[in-house]
């Protein structure tokens, strides 16, 4: 059985191995809308950071309905983080996370007036950590399909943050 600190480390590894999250928000009409966003290099402490133009449809949706979900997928597993979104325009935090890769998304670079951060404060996470290489997982699935039972391909856990 893993400890809370070990769960946080597993979550951090899944975020690092993926880098891209599908962030789902609710539109004014109540529909769900998902967008790929690149998580910024910051040690996971319960918060996720993404650069975003502000104002935008995305930031307006999240201001009206701050409950969001960020889903990650990588060869190490799957992760779903539920939390509250907010827009951060603090220059010090933007400077701390700014990098050359972000520059391409803002016409005026770092001086673009629309540069903002989307912060997701995590409430809970569910992860599926994959322990074995893909070939071993496929073998376990095939063996279970033939012999019955459920294949053990990794750990699934829900974590309150």
């Amino acid at each position: 059985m893993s400890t809370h600190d070990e769960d946080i480390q597993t979550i951090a590894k899944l975020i690092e191995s993926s880098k891209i999250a599908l962030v789902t928000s609710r539109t004014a009409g109540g529909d769900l809308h998902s967008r790929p966003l690149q998580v910024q290099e910051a040690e996971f402490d319960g918060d996720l950071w993404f650069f975003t133009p502000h104002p935008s449809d995305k930031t307006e949706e999240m201001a009206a309905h701050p409950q969001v979900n960020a889903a990650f997928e990588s060869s190490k597993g799957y992760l779903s983080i539920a939390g509250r979104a907010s827009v951060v325009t603090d220059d010090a935090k933007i400077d701390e996370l700014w990098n050359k890769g972000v520059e391409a998304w803002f016409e005026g670079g770092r001086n673009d007036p629309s540069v903002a951060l989307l912060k997701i404060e995590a409430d809970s996470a569910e992860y599926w950590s994959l322990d074995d290489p893909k070939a071993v997982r496929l073998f376990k699935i095939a063996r279970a399909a033939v012999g019955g039972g459920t294949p053990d391909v990794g750990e699934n856990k829900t974590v309150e943050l």
Side-chain angles (χ1 to χ4, degrees):
M1 179 162 224
S2 59
T3 67
H4 189 72
D5 287 344
E6 290 170 332
D7 291 333
I8 297 296
Q9 289 175 358
T10 299
I11 291 167
K13 286 178 187 172
L14 289 168
I15 292 169
E16 184 180 335
S17 68
S18 177
K19 303 228 187 275
I20 302 292
L22 279 176
V23 178
T24 303
S25 59
R26 189 169 301 280
T27 66
D31 295 328
L32 298 175
H33 189 188
S34 298
R35 301 168 177 90
L37 296 174
Q38 182 175 2
V39 70
Q40 297 307 302
E41 298 298 329
E43 189 171 319
F44 181 72
D45 60 1
D47 296 335
L48 298 170
W49 295 93
F50 306 90
F51 277 98
T52 188
H54 177 67
S56 68
D57 290 345
K58 173 180 24 188
T59 58
E60 288 176 21
E61 286 174 11
M62 292 177 190
H65 304 283
Q67 284 302 123
V68 298
N69 189 81
F72 297 84
E73 180 273 332
S74 76
S75 62
K76 296 188 183 303
Y78 307 92
L79 173 65
S80 174
I81 295 179
R84 294 172 318 281
S86 61
V87 175
V88 175
T89 56
D90 177 63
D91 283 332
K93 190 65 178 179
I94 290 171
D95 288 341
E96 175 189 332
L97 296 176
W98 188 260
N99 61 72
K100 282 293 203 185
V102 175
E103 217 163 286
W105 297 101
F106 295 94
E107 193 173 309
R110 172 60 187 94
N111 297 320
D112 192 308
S114 72
V115 172
L117 289 164
L118 176 64
K119 177 183 180 183
I120 297 177
E121 296 175 68
D123 294 325
S124 65
E126 184 170 7
Y127 66 81
W128 298 263
S129 178
L130 303 175
D131 303 326
D132 297 319
K134 185 176 182 178
V136 174
R137 289 193 313 267
L138 291 174
F139 173 76
K140 287 180 175 182
I141 293 167
R143 184 175 59 193
V146 171
T150 303
D152 178 14
V153 294
E155 180 181 14
N156 171 235
K157 189 163 186 187
T158 299
V159 181
E160 293 303 316
L161 302 167

